[in-house]
Amino acid sequence: MTQRLNELRRSLLVSLWFMLLTFPIMVIRVNTITGTVRWRWTNLAVIGIGSFFISVVWRYAMQRKAGEAQAVGILSRVGERVGAGTKKIGAVLDIPKVRTRLVGGLLAAAVAYPFLNSMYHTNIMITALTYVVLGLGLNIIIGLGGMLHIGYAAFYAIGAYSYALLNMYFGINFWLALPIGAALAGLFSLLIGLPQLFGIDMRLQQTTVFVYFIMLAVVILTIFVVHRLENSRIGRQWVAMKEDYIACQAMGVSIAKAKLTALGIGAIWGGLVGVIFAARTTFINPASFTVWESVIILSTVVLGGMGSIPGVFVGALVLMLLPEYLRPFAQYRMLIFGALLVTMMVFRPSGFIKKRRKAYTITEAERQSVIKAELEDDGEVEE
Amino acid sequence: MNYFTEVVLSGLTRGSIYALIALGYTMVYGIIELINFAHGEIYMIGAFTALILASVLTIFGFNTIAILFLAGIIAIVYSSMYGYTMEKVAYKPIRNSQRLSALISAIGMSMFLQNYVRIAQTSDFLPFPRIIPRFPWLSALPVSMSSSQFMIFSSTAVVMVLLTLLIKFTKIGKSMRAASQDKIMAKLLGVNVNKVISLTFIIGSATAALGGILISSYTGQINFYIGFLAGIKAFVAAVLGGIGSIPGAVLGSFVLGLTESFGAGYISSDYEDVFAFIILAVILIVKPAGILGKGQIEKV
């Protein structure tokens, strides 16, 4: 009881601290033209009460994370249920049959999506899928190769510009520009790594659906390629490089080569999507490809779960769809988004879906048989 | 007054401001190896707090000197409080997880603080009051220097000297150096590492806030987004000089400031950022750890 009182007292102190901290910015509003000050005391009360409750929940969550929370109250029981539930879901998902059905279902839903929803929703989805591909491309560089890259939007820009310029000056159509843009982005990435729409006349509605399907196809292609890459010789080299630089070199892997291939192959997806982006919006300028864009792509990868394909997929969808559907709270959406990123990293630093490492669990019977065999070997030597 | 000295002065002014912000980046990186993306936001909050306080004090009829000191000091204290709280909320709980998580947390913090100021105050540009008084004796100098420029140079110089003294000769400075070399060993020798990290954030935030107040009274207007742009530039300066090294951050800032103003002054002002980044790329190719950075020797 005293402990809980103590906790409440600390939360009270936290709320007082935040009331002090936010005072000048939240309470005082000066109109410099008329020379009047508005004191917004209600804001102070909101901050005080809000930070008190957030602090109580935050402390509790922290203790739980540290594994020292006592099993009291409704909160912990809910937490346990959720924990057990996710484990169960995870186990069910491991069954191959369930997996194929799930993937099939998702695919069917994805194909049906533009016909069941309005153009507005389809457009949002295209953007979200764009970020899935960008996220997966960056994932090759960060999640597999272990290189921090905060300029990924540049590759995206190269793709977009190569389409725009090729189309404008040489009349090269979308399909031909797609591989050229991707190749150019790949080439440019190597340059950086060294120091270390349509001819067919279509209505707007048709165009949107068309772009949606191109995007969907690109997403599927990306997932397929990245998945295959992950298990390939190059993919394993990347992971080895990420895990231990020196050990990897000692095993005969060329670090320079592995780094450049990761950058190059990662950048290709940026270029590819850049071409689609330019073709879709029919207008690009440098403001579309700022550092902020790179930061958002990086966030999708880390939030979703570095190195994990479903993780990046979910991360990109959540990150792009959430702000879009939070538009009713337009004023607050970026605030909520920022707070969400911090909270996520504090309580689940490995992202929504953690990358599962290939592991082999030895059963008790196997272990016993190995021990037995070893004992027999030893016996022979002694004789 | 020739054009050349004007360009040099403008470059040095930029350099000083970058240096004040870059210090915080480099100190934090030196100790916990975190690129504190939200550092620019502290600079912006410092400027905003000073603006609000200065306006309120003007309405209450204080004189200029009192406004300068009160608004300046309270704003710096507040920014330090923000820096301290930010570390406790967003970085301390994830100090032991992978470095990218801390970076994302910092990005989240940056978004949060930007939008917090935008919602609580305004998204428009606000005129920043001229809190720096005119120094009439400046016109006696051979070069024409505005009083804000003079304040920027002199405060940067004072901060650099104080910081160097603090780090070289005090006990706190010693424990900071120890913690940046080896946190576990420092802990074993009785250094309170948590306190040292908090202190680093407080000092870094204070210098950033000082930079924010000075540059805002120089440019005359602010909005909620100024921190992001300045933060990126200062980060480039810190990397240029060798991230983690304090003299390196200062040197990098002046190199960046002068390059930008020479590029803008003699070639074209459209490409000033391009010059800054070309210099960065060239220096990093020649010296990957930055101008004064020490190359890391990996031991097996």
PDB file of all heavy atoms in Angstrom, chain A residues 17 20-22 25 28 40 62 142 148 295 306 331 334 337-338 345, chain B residues 78 82 85 93-94 98 100 104 107-108 111 115-116 118-121:
ATOM      1  N   TRP A  17       6.123  18.823 -12.532  1.00  0.00           N
ATOM      2  CA  TRP A  17       7.284  19.151 -13.357  1.00  0.00           C
ATOM      3  C   TRP A  17       6.850  19.529 -14.768  1.00  0.00           C
ATOM      4  O   TRP A  17       7.298  20.517 -15.329  1.00  0.00           O
ATOM      5  CB  TRP A  17       8.254  17.962 -13.368  1.00  0.00           C
ATOM      6  CG  TRP A  17       9.378  18.078 -14.354  1.00  0.00           C
ATOM      7  CD1 TRP A  17       9.465  17.478 -15.569  1.00  0.00           C
ATOM      8  CD2 TRP A  17      10.574  18.863 -14.214  1.00  0.00           C
ATOM      9  NE1 TRP A  17      10.636  17.822 -16.192  1.00  0.00           N
ATOM     10  CE2 TRP A  17      11.337  18.676 -15.374  1.00  0.00           C
ATOM     11  CE3 TRP A  17      11.073  19.707 -13.208  1.00  0.00           C
ATOM     12  CZ2 TRP A  17      12.571  19.291 -15.578  1.00  0.00           C
ATOM     13  CZ3 TRP A  17      12.303  20.307 -13.413  1.00  0.00           C
ATOM     14  CH2 TRP A  17      13.032  20.100 -14.581  1.00  0.00           C
ATOM     15  N   LEU A  20       5.257  22.930 -14.952  1.00  0.00           N
ATOM     16  CA  LEU A  20       6.281  23.976 -14.937  1.00  0.00           C
ATOM     17  C   LEU A  20       6.962  24.077 -16.303  1.00  0.00           C
ATOM     18  O   LEU A  20       7.161  25.157 -16.860  1.00  0.00           O
ATOM     19  CB  LEU A  20       7.322  23.654 -13.851  1.00  0.00           C
ATOM     20  CG  LEU A  20       8.514  24.594 -13.748  1.00  0.00           C
ATOM     21  CD1 LEU A  20       8.065  25.955 -13.240  1.00  0.00           C
ATOM     22  CD2 LEU A  20       9.581  24.025 -12.830  1.00  0.00           C
ATOM     23  N   LEU A  21       7.268  22.904 -16.846  1.00  0.00           N
ATOM     24  CA  LEU A  21       8.023  22.820 -18.099  1.00  0.00           C
ATOM     25  C   LEU A  21       7.255  23.442 -19.260  1.00  0.00           C
ATOM     26  O   LEU A  21       7.818  24.148 -20.090  1.00  0.00           O
ATOM     27  CB  LEU A  21       8.318  21.350 -18.397  1.00  0.00           C
ATOM     28  CG  LEU A  21       9.335  21.038 -19.471  1.00  0.00           C
ATOM     29  CD1 LEU A  21      10.699  21.528 -19.060  1.00  0.00           C
ATOM     30  CD2 LEU A  21       9.405  19.539 -19.717  1.00  0.00           C
ATOM     31  N   THR A  22       5.956  23.160 -19.324  1.00  0.00           N
ATOM     32  CA  THR A  22       5.189  23.600 -20.484  1.00  0.00           C
ATOM     33  C   THR A  22       4.574  24.983 -20.270  1.00  0.00           C
ATOM     34  O   THR A  22       3.897  25.486 -21.161  1.00  0.00           O
ATOM     35  CB  THR A  22       4.070  22.595 -20.799  1.00  0.00           C
ATOM     36  OG1 THR A  22       3.304  22.402 -19.617  1.00  0.00           O
ATOM     37  CG2 THR A  22       4.619  21.279 -21.269  1.00  0.00           C
ATOM     38  N   ILE A  25       5.120  27.976 -22.988  1.00  0.00           N
ATOM     39  CA  ILE A  25       4.622  27.711 -24.338  1.00  0.00           C
ATOM     40  C   ILE A  25       3.129  27.385 -24.347  1.00  0.00           C
ATOM     41  O   ILE A  25       2.401  27.811 -25.235  1.00  0.00           O
ATOM     42  CB  ILE A  25       5.481  26.604 -25.001  1.00  0.00           C
ATOM     43  CG1 ILE A  25       6.851  27.209 -25.329  1.00  0.00           C
ATOM     44  CG2 ILE A  25       4.835  26.071 -26.267  1.00  0.00           C
ATOM     45  CD1 ILE A  25       7.848  26.260 -25.874  1.00  0.00           C
ATOM     46  N   ILE A  28       1.118  30.976 -21.965  1.00  0.00           N
ATOM     47  CA  ILE A  28       1.196  32.360 -22.432  1.00  0.00           C
ATOM     48  C   ILE A  28       1.024  32.420 -23.952  1.00  0.00           C
ATOM     49  O   ILE A  28       1.648  31.656 -24.678  1.00  0.00           O
ATOM     50  CB  ILE A  28       2.551  32.986 -22.054  1.00  0.00           C
ATOM     51  CG1 ILE A  28       2.829  32.785 -20.568  1.00  0.00           C
ATOM     52  CG2 ILE A  28       2.570  34.458 -22.412  1.00  0.00           C
ATOM     53  CD1 ILE A  28       4.208  33.197 -20.145  1.00  0.00           C
ATOM     54  N   ARG A  40      -3.718  31.236 -20.801  1.00  0.00           N
ATOM     55  CA  ARG A  40      -4.622  30.098 -21.036  1.00  0.00           C
ATOM     56  C   ARG A  40      -4.489  29.101 -19.913  1.00  0.00           C
ATOM     57  O   ARG A  40      -3.810  28.080 -20.042  1.00  0.00           O
ATOM     58  CB  ARG A  40      -4.294  29.464 -22.391  1.00  0.00           C
ATOM     59  CG  ARG A  40      -4.467  30.447 -23.526  1.00  0.00           C
ATOM     60  CD  ARG A  40      -3.909  29.930 -24.811  1.00  0.00           C
ATOM     61  NE  ARG A  40      -2.466  29.718 -24.753  1.00  0.00           N
ATOM     62  CZ  ARG A  40      -1.746  29.264 -25.764  1.00  0.00           C
ATOM     63  NH1 ARG A  40      -2.336  28.944 -26.892  1.00  0.00           N
ATOM     64  NH2 ARG A  40      -0.448  29.107 -25.633  1.00  0.00           N
ATOM     65  N   MET A  62       6.618   0.518 -17.467  1.00  0.00           N
ATOM     66  CA  MET A  62       8.068   0.390 -17.280  1.00  0.00           C
ATOM     67  C   MET A  62       8.390  -0.762 -16.341  1.00  0.00           C
ATOM     68  O   MET A  62       9.296  -1.551 -16.585  1.00  0.00           O
ATOM     69  CB  MET A  62       8.624   1.666 -16.651  1.00  0.00           C
ATOM     70  CG  MET A  62       9.011   2.713 -17.618  1.00  0.00           C
ATOM     71  SD  MET A  62      10.011   2.095 -18.904  1.00  0.00           S
ATOM     72  CE  MET A  62      10.925   3.492 -19.273  1.00  0.00           C
ATOM     73  N   ILE A 142      19.569  -1.454 -44.454  1.00  0.00           N
ATOM     74  CA  ILE A 142      19.676  -1.359 -42.991  1.00  0.00           C
ATOM     75  C   ILE A 142      19.475  -2.705 -42.297  1.00  0.00           C
ATOM     76  O   ILE A 142      20.290  -3.134 -41.497  1.00  0.00           O
ATOM     77  CB  ILE A 142      18.638  -0.381 -42.421  1.00  0.00           C
ATOM     78  CG1 ILE A 142      18.892   1.006 -42.955  1.00  0.00           C
ATOM     79  CG2 ILE A 142      18.722  -0.343 -40.906  1.00  0.00           C
ATOM     80  CD1 ILE A 142      18.001   2.022 -42.363  1.00  0.00           C
ATOM     81  N   LEU A 148      23.417   2.275 -41.633  1.00  0.00           N
ATOM     82  CA  LEU A 148      22.442   3.336 -41.408  1.00  0.00           C
ATOM     83  C   LEU A 148      22.455   4.260 -42.616  1.00  0.00           C
ATOM     84  O   LEU A 148      23.497   4.721 -43.038  1.00  0.00           O
ATOM     85  CB  LEU A 148      22.797   4.118 -40.146  1.00  0.00           C
ATOM     86  CG  LEU A 148      21.939   5.349 -39.889  1.00  0.00           C
ATOM     87  CD1 LEU A 148      20.489   4.939 -39.762  1.00  0.00           C
ATOM     88  CD2 LEU A 148      22.390   6.065 -38.653  1.00  0.00           C
ATOM     89  N   VAL A 295      13.554  10.171 -43.688  1.00  0.00           N
ATOM     90  CA  VAL A 295      13.317   9.855 -42.279  1.00  0.00           C
ATOM     91  C   VAL A 295      12.058   9.006 -42.126  1.00  0.00           C
ATOM     92  O   VAL A 295      12.034   8.037 -41.362  1.00  0.00           O
ATOM     93  CB  VAL A 295      13.213  11.168 -41.467  1.00  0.00           C
ATOM     94  CG1 VAL A 295      12.606  10.932 -40.109  1.00  0.00           C
ATOM     95  CG2 VAL A 295      14.578  11.805 -41.325  1.00  0.00           C
ATOM     96  N   MET A 306      13.135  -4.256 -38.090  1.00  0.00           N
ATOM     97  CA  MET A 306      14.230  -4.292 -39.045  1.00  0.00           C
ATOM     98  C   MET A 306      14.514  -5.702 -39.525  1.00  0.00           C
ATOM     99  O   MET A 306      14.591  -6.629 -38.718  1.00  0.00           O
ATOM    100  CB  MET A 306      15.484  -3.750 -38.389  1.00  0.00           C
ATOM    101  CG  MET A 306      15.653  -2.283 -38.581  1.00  0.00           C
ATOM    102  SD  MET A 306      17.345  -1.879 -38.389  1.00  0.00           S
ATOM    103  CE  MET A 306      17.605  -2.396 -36.743  1.00  0.00           C
ATOM    104  N   GLN A 331      -4.946  18.486 -36.806  1.00  0.00           N
ATOM    105  CA  GLN A 331      -4.017  19.312 -36.049  1.00  0.00           C
ATOM    106  C   GLN A 331      -3.080  18.475 -35.193  1.00  0.00           C
ATOM    107  O   GLN A 331      -1.936  18.838 -34.998  1.00  0.00           O
ATOM    108  CB  GLN A 331      -4.841  20.224 -35.170  1.00  0.00           C
ATOM    109  CG  GLN A 331      -4.430  21.660 -35.295  1.00  0.00           C
ATOM    110  CD  GLN A 331      -4.940  22.455 -34.142  1.00  0.00           C
ATOM    111  OE1 GLN A 331      -5.986  22.143 -33.568  1.00  0.00           O
ATOM    112  NE2 GLN A 331      -4.220  23.491 -33.790  1.00  0.00           N
ATOM    113  N   MET A 334       0.369  14.712 -36.346  1.00  0.00           N
ATOM    114  CA  MET A 334       1.817  14.586 -36.307  1.00  0.00           C
ATOM    115  C   MET A 334       2.325  14.512 -34.871  1.00  0.00           C
ATOM    116  O   MET A 334       3.319  13.857 -34.575  1.00  0.00           O
ATOM    117  CB  MET A 334       2.494  15.754 -37.034  1.00  0.00           C
ATOM    118  CG  MET A 334       2.274  15.741 -38.526  1.00  0.00           C
ATOM    119  SD  MET A 334       2.652  14.164 -39.295  1.00  0.00           S
ATOM    120  CE  MET A 334       4.417  14.323 -39.479  1.00  0.00           C
ATOM    121  N   PHE A 337       1.691  11.058 -33.804  1.00  0.00           N
ATOM    122  CA  PHE A 337       2.630  10.213 -34.527  1.00  0.00           C
ATOM    123  C   PHE A 337       4.013  10.225 -33.873  1.00  0.00           C
ATOM    124  O   PHE A 337       4.632   9.176 -33.654  1.00  0.00           O
ATOM    125  CB  PHE A 337       2.694  10.735 -35.957  1.00  0.00           C
ATOM    126  CG  PHE A 337       3.468   9.886 -36.881  1.00  0.00           C
ATOM    127  CD1 PHE A 337       3.050   8.616 -37.155  1.00  0.00           C
ATOM    128  CD2 PHE A 337       4.620  10.359 -37.478  1.00  0.00           C
ATOM    129  CE1 PHE A 337       3.770   7.822 -38.014  1.00  0.00           C
ATOM    130  CE2 PHE A 337       5.343   9.586 -38.335  1.00  0.00           C
ATOM    131  CZ  PHE A 337       4.907   8.316 -38.601  1.00  0.00           C
ATOM    132  N   GLY A 338       4.469  11.413 -33.527  1.00  0.00           N
ATOM    133  CA  GLY A 338       5.776  11.536 -32.863  1.00  0.00           C
ATOM    134  C   GLY A 338       5.786  10.811 -31.537  1.00  0.00           C
ATOM    135  O   GLY A 338       6.707  10.052 -31.222  1.00  0.00           O
ATOM    136  N   MET A 345       9.364   2.789 -29.470  1.00  0.00           N
ATOM    137  CA  MET A 345      10.778   2.461 -29.302  1.00  0.00           C
ATOM    138  C   MET A 345      11.112   2.157 -27.854  1.00  0.00           C
ATOM    139  O   MET A 345      11.953   1.315 -27.560  1.00  0.00           O
ATOM    140  CB  MET A 345      11.658   3.614 -29.796  1.00  0.00           C
ATOM    141  CG  MET A 345      11.706   3.714 -31.287  1.00  0.00           C
ATOM    142  SD  MET A 345      12.251   2.191 -32.041  1.00  0.00           S
ATOM    143  CE  MET A 345      10.848   1.690 -32.973  1.00  0.00           C
TER     144      MET A 345
ATOM    145  N   TYR B  78      14.986  27.049 -19.289  1.00  0.00           N
ATOM    146  CA  TYR B  78      13.885  26.212 -19.764  1.00  0.00           C
ATOM    147  C   TYR B  78      14.343  25.183 -20.792  1.00  0.00           C
ATOM    148  O   TYR B  78      13.951  24.027 -20.736  1.00  0.00           O
ATOM    149  CB  TYR B  78      12.764  27.091 -20.338  1.00  0.00           C
ATOM    150  CG  TYR B  78      11.621  27.198 -19.374  1.00  0.00           C
ATOM    151  CD1 TYR B  78      11.525  28.260 -18.500  1.00  0.00           C
ATOM    152  CD2 TYR B  78      10.661  26.193 -19.303  1.00  0.00           C
ATOM    153  CE1 TYR B  78      10.503  28.346 -17.579  1.00  0.00           C
ATOM    154  CE2 TYR B  78       9.632  26.258 -18.388  1.00  0.00           C
ATOM    155  CZ  TYR B  78       9.561  27.333 -17.531  1.00  0.00           C
ATOM    156  OH  TYR B  78       8.556  27.383 -16.627  1.00  0.00           O
ATOM    157  N   TYR B  82      14.046  21.144 -20.819  1.00  0.00           N
ATOM    158  CA  TYR B  82      13.511  20.310 -21.901  1.00  0.00           C
ATOM    159  C   TYR B  82      14.511  19.213 -22.276  1.00  0.00           C
ATOM    160  O   TYR B  82      14.142  18.061 -22.459  1.00  0.00           O
ATOM    161  CB  TYR B  82      13.179  21.164 -23.128  1.00  0.00           C
ATOM    162  CG  TYR B  82      11.774  21.714 -23.104  1.00  0.00           C
ATOM    163  CD1 TYR B  82      11.518  22.991 -22.640  1.00  0.00           C
ATOM    164  CD2 TYR B  82      10.713  20.950 -23.541  1.00  0.00           C
ATOM    165  CE1 TYR B  82      10.241  23.492 -22.599  1.00  0.00           C
ATOM    166  CE2 TYR B  82       9.430  21.441 -23.517  1.00  0.00           C
ATOM    167  CZ  TYR B  82       9.188  22.721 -23.041  1.00  0.00           C
ATOM    168  OH  TYR B  82       7.917  23.200 -23.000  1.00  0.00           O
ATOM    169  N   THR B  85      14.519  16.533 -19.579  1.00  0.00           N
ATOM    170  CA  THR B  85      13.309  15.710 -19.606  1.00  0.00           C
ATOM    171  C   THR B  85      13.305  14.776 -20.812  1.00  0.00           C
ATOM    172  O   THR B  85      12.960  13.591 -20.700  1.00  0.00           O
ATOM    173  CB  THR B  85      12.062  16.616 -19.667  1.00  0.00           C
ATOM    174  OG1 THR B  85      12.209  17.632 -18.697  1.00  0.00           O
ATOM    175  CG2 THR B  85      10.807  15.837 -19.406  1.00  0.00           C
ATOM    176  N   PRO B  93      15.408   5.027 -21.234  1.00  0.00           N
ATOM    177  CA  PRO B  93      14.886   3.659 -21.191  1.00  0.00           C
ATOM    178  C   PRO B  93      15.450   2.755 -22.293  1.00  0.00           C
ATOM    179  O   PRO B  93      15.367   1.541 -22.177  1.00  0.00           O
ATOM    180  CB  PRO B  93      13.377   3.846 -21.396  1.00  0.00           C
ATOM    181  CG  PRO B  93      13.104   5.259 -21.103  1.00  0.00           C
ATOM    182  CD  PRO B  93      14.338   6.006 -21.424  1.00  0.00           C
ATOM    183  N   ILE B  94      15.997   3.331 -23.370  1.00  0.00           N
ATOM    184  CA  ILE B  94      16.474   2.468 -24.462  1.00  0.00           C
ATOM    185  C   ILE B  94      17.972   2.570 -24.636  1.00  0.00           C
ATOM    186  O   ILE B  94      18.497   2.312 -25.704  1.00  0.00           O
ATOM    187  CB  ILE B  94      15.770   2.781 -25.793  1.00  0.00           C
ATOM    188  CG1 ILE B  94      15.635   4.273 -25.981  1.00  0.00           C
ATOM    189  CG2 ILE B  94      14.466   2.099 -25.896  1.00  0.00           C
ATOM    190  CD1 ILE B  94      15.017   4.622 -27.308  1.00  0.00           C
ATOM    191  N   GLN B  98      19.389  -1.446 -29.410  1.00  0.00           N
ATOM    192  CA  GLN B  98      20.210  -1.087 -30.561  1.00  0.00           C
ATOM    193  C   GLN B  98      20.156   0.415 -30.850  1.00  0.00           C
ATOM    194  O   GLN B  98      19.200   1.086 -30.516  1.00  0.00           O
ATOM    195  CB  GLN B  98      19.756  -1.881 -31.765  1.00  0.00           C
ATOM    196  CG  GLN B  98      18.247  -1.878 -31.923  1.00  0.00           C
ATOM    197  CD  GLN B  98      17.818  -2.616 -33.142  1.00  0.00           C
ATOM    198  OE1 GLN B  98      18.552  -2.732 -34.074  1.00  0.00           O
ATOM    199  NE2 GLN B  98      16.590  -3.100 -33.129  1.00  0.00           N
ATOM    200  N   LEU B 100      19.764   2.118 -33.536  1.00  0.00           N
ATOM    201  CA  LEU B 100      18.745   2.652 -34.437  1.00  0.00           C
ATOM    202  C   LEU B 100      17.453   2.975 -33.704  1.00  0.00           C
ATOM    203  O   LEU B 100      16.774   3.927 -34.035  1.00  0.00           O
ATOM    204  CB  LEU B 100      18.466   1.649 -35.549  1.00  0.00           C
ATOM    205  CG  LEU B 100      19.191   1.918 -36.850  1.00  0.00           C
ATOM    206  CD1 LEU B 100      18.807   0.876 -37.858  1.00  0.00           C
ATOM    207  CD2 LEU B 100      18.867   3.294 -37.377  1.00  0.00           C
ATOM    208  N   ILE B 104      15.344   6.471 -33.892  1.00  0.00           N
ATOM    209  CA  ILE B 104      13.925   6.625 -34.231  1.00  0.00           C
ATOM    210  C   ILE B 104      13.192   7.348 -33.114  1.00  0.00           C
ATOM    211  O   ILE B 104      12.342   8.210 -33.341  1.00  0.00           O
ATOM    212  CB  ILE B 104      13.274   5.255 -34.489  1.00  0.00           C
ATOM    213  CG1 ILE B 104      13.945   4.573 -35.667  1.00  0.00           C
ATOM    214  CG2 ILE B 104      11.793   5.392 -34.751  1.00  0.00           C
ATOM    215  CD1 ILE B 104      13.778   5.270 -36.973  1.00  0.00           C
ATOM    216  N   ILE B 107      13.829  10.873 -33.559  1.00  0.00           N
ATOM    217  CA  ILE B 107      13.034  11.434 -34.656  1.00  0.00           C
ATOM    218  C   ILE B 107      11.610  11.690 -34.174  1.00  0.00           C
ATOM    219  O   ILE B 107      11.021  12.740 -34.442  1.00  0.00           O
ATOM    220  CB  ILE B 107      13.054  10.484 -35.872  1.00  0.00           C
ATOM    221  CG1 ILE B 107      14.442  10.482 -36.500  1.00  0.00           C
ATOM    222  CG2 ILE B 107      12.012  10.888 -36.901  1.00  0.00           C
ATOM    223  CD1 ILE B 107      14.649   9.385 -37.519  1.00  0.00           C
ATOM    224  N   GLY B 108      11.055  10.731 -33.422  1.00  0.00           N
ATOM    225  CA  GLY B 108       9.711  10.889 -32.864  1.00  0.00           C
ATOM    226  C   GLY B 108       9.636  12.103 -31.953  1.00  0.00           C
ATOM    227  O   GLY B 108       8.699  12.889 -32.011  1.00  0.00           O
ATOM    228  N   MET B 111       9.538  15.292 -34.001  1.00  0.00           N
ATOM    229  CA  MET B 111       8.196  15.548 -34.539  1.00  0.00           C
ATOM    230  C   MET B 111       7.274  16.066 -33.449  1.00  0.00           C
ATOM    231  O   MET B 111       6.512  17.003 -33.645  1.00  0.00           O
ATOM    232  CB  MET B 111       7.594  14.234 -35.027  1.00  0.00           C
ATOM    233  CG  MET B 111       8.022  13.815 -36.376  1.00  0.00           C
ATOM    234  SD  MET B 111       7.189  12.232 -36.633  1.00  0.00           S
ATOM    235  CE  MET B 111       7.410  12.060 -38.334  1.00  0.00           C
ATOM    236  N   ASN B 115       5.479  19.836 -33.341  1.00  0.00           N
ATOM    237  CA  ASN B 115       4.046  20.000 -33.431  1.00  0.00           C
ATOM    238  C   ASN B 115       3.436  20.517 -32.141  1.00  0.00           C
ATOM    239  O   ASN B 115       2.409  21.184 -32.160  1.00  0.00           O
ATOM    240  CB  ASN B 115       3.393  18.699 -33.872  1.00  0.00           C
ATOM    241  CG  ASN B 115       3.655  18.462 -35.326  1.00  0.00           C
ATOM    242  OD1 ASN B 115       3.025  19.074 -36.155  1.00  0.00           O
ATOM    243  ND2 ASN B 115       4.643  17.645 -35.635  1.00  0.00           N
ATOM    244  N   TYR B 116       4.107  20.232 -31.041  1.00  0.00           N
ATOM    245  CA  TYR B 116       3.683  20.773 -29.758  1.00  0.00           C
ATOM    246  C   TYR B 116       3.751  22.289 -29.805  1.00  0.00           C
ATOM    247  O   TYR B 116       2.795  22.991 -29.447  1.00  0.00           O
ATOM    248  CB  TYR B 116       4.584  20.166 -28.675  1.00  0.00           C
ATOM    249  CG  TYR B 116       4.795  20.951 -27.421  1.00  0.00           C
ATOM    250  CD1 TYR B 116       3.763  21.139 -26.503  1.00  0.00           C
ATOM    251  CD2 TYR B 116       6.045  21.480 -27.117  1.00  0.00           C
ATOM    252  CE1 TYR B 116       3.980  21.842 -25.343  1.00  0.00           C
ATOM    253  CE2 TYR B 116       6.277  22.172 -25.960  1.00  0.00           C
ATOM    254  CZ  TYR B 116       5.244  22.366 -25.080  1.00  0.00           C
ATOM    255  OH  TYR B 116       5.460  23.055 -23.924  1.00  0.00           O
ATOM    256  N   ARG B 118       3.837  24.113 -32.538  1.00  0.00           N
ATOM    257  CA  ARG B 118       2.926  24.582 -33.579  1.00  0.00           C
ATOM    258  C   ARG B 118       1.500  24.701 -33.053  1.00  0.00           C
ATOM    259  O   ARG B 118       0.810  25.681 -33.293  1.00  0.00           O
ATOM    260  CB  ARG B 118       2.956  23.631 -34.781  1.00  0.00           C
ATOM    261  CG  ARG B 118       2.083  24.072 -35.945  1.00  0.00           C
ATOM    262  CD  ARG B 118       2.208  23.113 -37.108  1.00  0.00           C
ATOM    263  NE  ARG B 118       1.790  21.764 -36.731  1.00  0.00           N
ATOM    264  CZ  ARG B 118       0.535  21.326 -36.808  1.00  0.00           C
ATOM    265  NH1 ARG B 118      -0.403  22.116 -37.255  1.00  0.00           N
ATOM    266  NH2 ARG B 118       0.224  20.103 -36.440  1.00  0.00           N
ATOM    267  N   ILE B 119       1.064  23.687 -32.294  1.00  0.00           N
ATOM    268  CA  ILE B 119      -0.309  23.694 -31.792  1.00  0.00           C
ATOM    269  C   ILE B 119      -0.466  24.698 -30.663  1.00  0.00           C
ATOM    270  O   ILE B 119      -1.415  25.471 -30.623  1.00  0.00           O
ATOM    271  CB  ILE B 119      -0.722  22.275 -31.345  1.00  0.00           C
ATOM    272  CG1 ILE B 119      -0.778  21.356 -32.554  1.00  0.00           C
ATOM    273  CG2 ILE B 119      -2.062  22.302 -30.641  1.00  0.00           C
ATOM    274  CD1 ILE B 119      -0.827  19.894 -32.195  1.00  0.00           C
ATOM    275  N   ALA B 120       0.494  24.694 -29.729  1.00  0.00           N
ATOM    276  CA  ALA B 120       0.353  25.571 -28.564  1.00  0.00           C
ATOM    277  C   ALA B 120       0.548  27.034 -28.933  1.00  0.00           C
ATOM    278  O   ALA B 120      -0.067  27.903 -28.329  1.00  0.00           O
ATOM    279  CB  ALA B 120       1.360  25.173 -27.490  1.00  0.00           C
ATOM    280  N   GLN B 121       1.401  27.310 -29.921  1.00  0.00           N
ATOM    281  CA  GLN B 121       1.607  28.696 -30.303  1.00  0.00           C
ATOM    282  C   GLN B 121       1.011  28.979 -31.681  1.00  0.00           C
ATOM    283  O   GLN B 121      -0.172  29.232 -31.754  1.00  0.00           O
ATOM    284  CB  GLN B 121       3.104  29.034 -30.243  1.00  0.00           C
ATOM    285  CG  GLN B 121       3.655  29.034 -28.826  1.00  0.00           C
ATOM    286  CD  GLN B 121       3.147  30.210 -28.008  1.00  0.00           C
ATOM    287  OE1 GLN B 121       3.032  31.314 -28.486  1.00  0.00           O
ATOM    288  NE2 GLN B 121       2.829  29.967 -26.739  1.00  0.00           N
TER     289      GLN B 121
END
